[in-house]
């Protein structure tokens, strides 16, 4: 442990500390009272500053999922952890801590500004997913190897890099190396990277840079290919029809089907299975195509919803701006008249009239907000009904196609029973097939064993079909329910945020007249 702990008592990040900080950094006046009375949900907080708190362990932040800016600088943190759910972070400051390794940042894909200044880091690593990184401050750490800087080539948006006071900065080739291998960097150690360093670097490291570019090009092609494949797979999963564009479901019927695989060796069964597979896979393709078509239709419906939603929001924004702009113009004229008024009685009447105007503005803004809430509720209700219809139609068609699969399975079961019974009768007459396995002979030893094996195989196939149908139905149902739930939650959060903004604006308007300096 650090010797600092002999004199500093580590602070635990708990709900008390977090909410105290939120209220300290939140709005004041009536808006602040409103926030405290109503409570502030962690998901409503976008910026949080926890500096100089003697924090040792990052913890308790999992509910602050909408944070875009987080300051944890000037603490005694030793490990980067507990940030996995803060996927909306754009700005993260962990400077002036005791961090030894870069880790725990994999999910922070929106991070643009990362500060790890004045820690104990020896290696640039574990930032592969931070592709939006624009500013990186790693000054005053223990980076020693210039070659380690090649790691930063993956950050094509990186423009500002601070490595000042690291041992590698004292290498004579430091700036030349950066100029050669990090062409995207514009500012190095808070100063413009000079062109002479780029030119000298291009000359000095020409061959290794060319080899590196060639290697990166090959890797990029592989990544693009893998990405295209994963995007296609994800699209199929989102349509709930993954792996139904081929024979995989049919193969799955026989994966755990011991009896079915044995019975497939009965004379005449191979042809039956071939025909069964042909029909089965054809319907699977129909299910797949239906799923993709319905997914496209759902995406269009969702896009239309957001278009209507954003249109209503834009109209409200313009209405709010007009109302506040008009008030600001009126306020300017009112205040000018107040400054010129020397009669205390008239001045008092003017102040009262002003407060009446502020109250009218409050009523106007709140009324507009309530109107918008009602309008958005209606949009969501219509959208929900539309989704319900689409989901119901999709499920109905899926169930029809799945019924076809069960029909084909039933028909195959009947034909398999016929050929197996024929084989059983042949064996009863003493006509044996020497190629049959002992397990198959046991199944065909009597009629009950044969029918039992066929029934077991049939039931397993039906179960596999039922499970696949349930997966599709449950998938579309869960998607619809979750989407509407998330939309309603976001509407509630938006309303809370807007009411806070209105309170803050009205508080400021009231404070403006109280702070108005009158002409003596």
């Amino acid at each position: 442990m650090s010797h600092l702990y002999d004199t500093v008592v580590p602070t635990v990040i708990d709900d008390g500390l977090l909410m105290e900080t939120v209220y300290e950094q939140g709005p004041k006046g009536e808006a602040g009272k409103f926030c405290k009375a109503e409570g502030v949900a962690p998901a409503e907080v976008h910026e949080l500053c926890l500096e100089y708190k003697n924090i040792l362990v990052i913890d308790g932040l999992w509910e602050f999922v909408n944070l875009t800016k987080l300051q944890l600088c000037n603490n005694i943190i030793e490990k980067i952890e507990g940030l996995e759910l803060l996927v909306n972070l754009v700005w993260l400051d962990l400077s002036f801590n005791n961090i030894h390794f870069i880790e725990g940042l994999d999910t922070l894909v929106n991070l643009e500004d990362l500060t790890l200044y004045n820690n104990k880091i020896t290696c640039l690593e574990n930032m592969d997913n931070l592709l939006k990184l624009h500013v990186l401050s790693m000054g005053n750490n223990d980076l020693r190897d210039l070659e380690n800087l090649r790691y930063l080539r993956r950050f094509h948006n990186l423009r500002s890099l601070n490595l000042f006071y690291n041992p590698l900065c004292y290498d004579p080739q430091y700036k030349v190396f950066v100029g050669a291998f990090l062409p995207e960097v514009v500012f190095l150690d808070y100063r413009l990277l000079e062109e002479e360093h780029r030119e000298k670097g291009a000359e000095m490291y020409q061959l290794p840079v060319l080899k590196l570019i060639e290697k990166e090009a090959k890797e990029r092609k592989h990544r693009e290919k893998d990405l295209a494949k994963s995007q296609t797979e994800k699209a199929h999963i989102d349509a709930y029809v993954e792996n139904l564009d081929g024979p995989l479901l049919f193969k799955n019927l026989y994966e755990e089907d011991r009896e079915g695989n044995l019975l497939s060796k009965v004379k005449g069964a191979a042809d039956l299975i071939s025909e069964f597979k042909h029909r089965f896979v054809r319907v699977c393709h129909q299910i797949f195509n239906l799923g993709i078509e319905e997914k496209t239709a759902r995406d269009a419906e969702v896009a239309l919803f957001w278009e209507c939603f954003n249109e209503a929001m834009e109209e409200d924004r313009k209405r709010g701006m007009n109302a506040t702009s008009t008030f600001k113009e009126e306020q300017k004229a009112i205040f000018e008249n107040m400054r010129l008024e020397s009669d205390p009685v008239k001045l008092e009447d003017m102040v009262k009239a002003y407060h009446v105007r502020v109250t009218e503005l409050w009523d106007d803004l709140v009324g507009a907000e309530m109107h918008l809430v009602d309008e958005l509720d209606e949009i969501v209700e219509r959208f929900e009904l539309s989704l319900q219809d689409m989901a119901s139609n999709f499920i109905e068609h899926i169930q029809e196609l799945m019924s076809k699969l069960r029909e084909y399975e039933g028909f195959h079961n009947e034909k398999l029973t016929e050929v197996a019974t024929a084989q059983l009768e042949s064996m009863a007459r003493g006509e044996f097939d020497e190629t049959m396995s002992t397990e198959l002979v046991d199944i065909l030893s009597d009629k009950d064993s044969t029918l039992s094996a066929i029934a077991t195989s049939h039931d397993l196939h039906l179960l596999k079909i039922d499970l696949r149908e349930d997966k599709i139905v449950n998938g579309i149902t869960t998607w619809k329910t979750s989407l509407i739930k998330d939309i309603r939650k976001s509407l509630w959060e938006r309303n809370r945020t807007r009411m806070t903004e209105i309170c803050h604006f009205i508080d400021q308007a009231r404070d403006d007249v109280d702070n108005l300096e009158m002409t003596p």
Side-chain angles (χ1 to χ4, degrees), residues 205-375:
Y205 295 102
Q206 181 179 13
L207 184 58
V209 168
L210 288 176
K211 288 182 178 179
L212 189 56
I213 291 174
E214 183 179 349
K215 177 185 176 183
E216 289 171 344
K218 291 180 180 179
E219 292 174 347
R220 184 167 55 254
K221 286 183 179 179
H222 285 301
R223 286 196 303 272
E224 290 172 353
K225 183 178 179 181
D226 291 341
L227 178 61
K229 181 180 178 182
S230 65
Q231 288 176 338
T232 299
E233 290 174 349
K234 184 180 184 304
H236 295 174
I237 291 171
D238 290 344
Y240 313 109
V241 291
E242 69 276 11
N243 301 319
L244 289 176
D245 55 341
L248 191 61
L249 180 57
F250 181 83
K251 292 179 180 178
N252 184 249
L253 300 182
Y254 287 90
E255 277 186 0
E256 300 166 351
D257 184 11
R258 174 182 174 275
E259 289 78 6
N261 284 308
L262 288 172
L263 289 167
S264 68
K265 305 301 181 184
V266 171
K267 184 178 179 181
D271 291 338
L272 293 178
I273 292 175
S274 178
E275 178 63 21
F276 176 35
K277 178 181 179 181
H278 174 72
R279 293 182 175 184
F280 192 96
V281 173
R282 184 177 59 194
V283 175
C284 285
H285 275 287
Q286 292 176 353
I287 295 172
F288 176 82
N289 292 333
L290 173 65
I292 298 300
E293 290 172 4
E294 289 293 320
K295 173 64 166 56
T296 302
R298 288 196 301 273
D299 287 346
E301 189 68 17
V302 172
L304 179 59
F305 163 76
W306 286 117
E307 182 180 337
C308 295
F309 180 91
N310 292 329
E311 183 178 327
M313 291 286 289
E314 180 62 18
E315 289 179 359
D316 177 74
R317 187 188 69 82
K318 290 180 179 178
R319 184 166 53 239
M321 287 183 64
N322 289 336
T324 54
S325 295
T326 299
F327 172 79
K328 282 290 187 182
E329 289 297 321
E330 293 177 5
Q331 183 192 56
K332 184 178 179 181
I334 292 170
F335 285 179
E336 186 62 30
N337 290 333
M338 285 182 178
R339 291 189 183 96
L340 297 174
E341 182 57 59
S342 59
D343 186 337
V345 175
K346 290 183 179 180
L347 182 60
E348 183 178 352
D349 290 340
M350 294 174 71
V351 170
K352 289 180 180 179
Y354 173 79
H355 281 296
V356 170
R357 178 66 184 94
V358 171
T359 300
E360 290 174 351
L361 178 63
W362 161 268
D363 293 338
D364 184 25
L365 294 176
V366 172
E369 173 60 19
M370 294 303 101
H371 175 76
L372 177 62
V373 168
D374 291 340
E375 184 179 357

Side-chain angles (χ1 to χ4, degrees), residues 387-435:
L387 284 190
Q388 181 61 50
D389 289 341
M390 297 182 78
S392 297
N393 291 334
F394 178 53
I395 290 172
E396 182 180 344
H397 289 138
I398 287 295
Q399 289 173 337
E400 289 175 0
L401 291 171
M402 287 293 179
S403 293
K404 280 189 178 182
L405 295 183
R406 281 186 279 269
E407 288 176 11
Y408 292 153
E409 166 58 31
F411 180 77
H412 171 71
N413 183 67
E414 292 175 5
K415 294 299 181 180
L416 182 62
T417 301
E418 292 177 7
V419 298
T421 302
Q423 183 68 54
L424 177 65
E425 293 172 352
S426 296
M427 292 174 62
R429 295 192 298 268
E431 300 173 2
F432 284 91
D433 184 349
E434 300 295 335
T435 62

Side-chain angles (χ1 to χ4, degrees), residues 431-475:
E431 300 173 2
F432 284 91
D433 184 349
E434 300 295 335
T435 62
M436 285 196 304
S437 65
T438 303
E439 292 88 347
L440 180 56
V441 172
D442 289 341
I443 287 177
L444 298 173
S445 60
D446 60 72
K447 187 173 183 179
D448 288 342
S449 298
T450 302
L451 295 179
S452 176
I454 294 173
T456 299
S457 175
H458 178 55
D459 289 343
L460 181 60
H461 290 187
L462 290 177
L463 176 62
K464 294 289 183 70
I465 295 170
D466 290 345
L467 290 174
R468 194 65 178 90
E469 180 181 334
D470 290 344
K471 184 178 181 181
I472 296 174
V473 172
N474 291 336

